[in-house]
Amino acid sequence: MKTHPALALIEQRVSANRFDPTHVLHSDEIEALIRLATRAPTAYHLQNWRFIAARTPQVKARLRRVAQDQPKVTEAAVTFIVCGLLPDHDTLAERLGPFVDTGLMSPNTVAGWREGARLQYEDPTTARDEAVRTATFGAATLIHAAEALGLVSGPMVGFDPAGVSREFGLQPHEVPVVLVAVGRAAPGNWPQKPRRPLAEVLDIL
């Protein structure tokens, strides 16, 4: 049976720690990565994420200072700050408008989704959880997009969220969830580490 290339990418992906510091990603390449990342799902189609691409040496150095001085922040071609946004039900009319224009969704359905989102995310904890989920889906898709384009990636949670928010002027509704370093691999990265047996992590009921 022929294996789909996407499955091979999942099987071979590693979290890289060593990057070629001479490698550069141009704006069109960065845009291509994020265009793919935004194909990830979001609740109610809120698309409540923001990606900040730290590309220049100066900006990466600022990020490294609030990311536990991790070398890969500055050695990677780009390190992305992946933010989830607290859900705003008032954005749905605009974000679903093009879909309504196709006739695939009615304005009444949009209104129902808007009210559903308003009620679901009234609780601040639920709203923050959704922001984190959204950013995580986007980051995971970014990681696999990078792999598909012949790059490597290294996700990081070792950073000071308050420091990142302050350094990059994030708004109160923007939650920095994960950093993702992307670039060309340098020698010395480990192969993919062993996974737990399925019997330990899967229940089929």
Side-chain angles (χ1 to χ4, degrees):
M1 181 182 296
K2 187 176 180 181
T3 300
H4 192 282
L7 300 180
L9 289 175
I10 293 170
E11 292 281 5
Q12 73 187 34
R13 186 211 61 81
V14 300
S15 294
N17 284 303
R18 299 182 182 275
F19 292 84
D20 176 359
T22 68
H23 180 227
V24 173
L25 279 174
H26 299 288
S27 294
D28 59 339
E29 296 172 298
I30 294 170
E31 290 170 0
L33 281 166
I34 299 307
R35 185 186 65 79
L36 292 167
T38 60
R39 268 46 186 177
T42 58
Y44 296 97
H45 199 57
L46 283 161
Q47 302 180 75
N48 52 315
W49 39 36
R50 181 178 173 210
F51 301 83
I52 301 170
R55 178 178 61 177
T56 67
Q58 296 82 3
V59 174
K60 288 190 287 186
R62 286 168 51 203
L63 180 56
R64 180 169 168 172
R65 285 196 292 270
V66 290
Q68 300 179 3
D69 197 32
Q70 295 181 77
K72 58 187 169 183
V73 172
T74 51
E75 291 174 357
V78 177
T79 298
F80 292 95
I81 306 168
V82 185
C83 301
L85 312 185
L86 299 179
D88 179 0
H89 59 278
D90 285 331
T91 64
L92 283 176
E94 176 188 352
R95 291 177 187 170
L96 290 168
F99 206 54
V100 172
D101 292 342
T102 66
L104 292 168
M105 178 178 280
S106 72
N108 286 341
T109 300
V110 175
W113 283 27
R114 180 184 179 280
E115 180 63 7
R118 184 187 71 80
L119 293 171
Q120 184 166 346
Y121 302 122
E122 280 183 325
D123 175 64
T125 299
T126 304
R128 192 180 190 284
D129 287 349
E130 193 59 61
V132 172
R133 271 191 293 270
T134 294
T136 302
F137 284 145
T141 305
L142 169 60
I143 287 165
H144 288 105
E147 193 76 26
L149 294 173
L151 304 167
V152 294
S153 62
M156 292 169 272
V157 295
F159 64 94
D160 173 15
V164 168
S165 295
R166 183 175 57 252
E167 186 68 35
F168 291 90
L170 301 188
Q171 298 302 305
H173 68 286
E174 297 177 320
V175 181
V177 173
V178 64
L179 309 181
V180 182
V182 174
R184 180 186 296 147
N189 285 303
W190 287 328
Q192 192 177 84
K193 294 180 285 296
R195 265 39 185 185
R196 293 168 62 190
L198 286 182
E200 293 183 6
V201 300
L202 172 65
D203 289 305
I204 301 177
L205 305 177

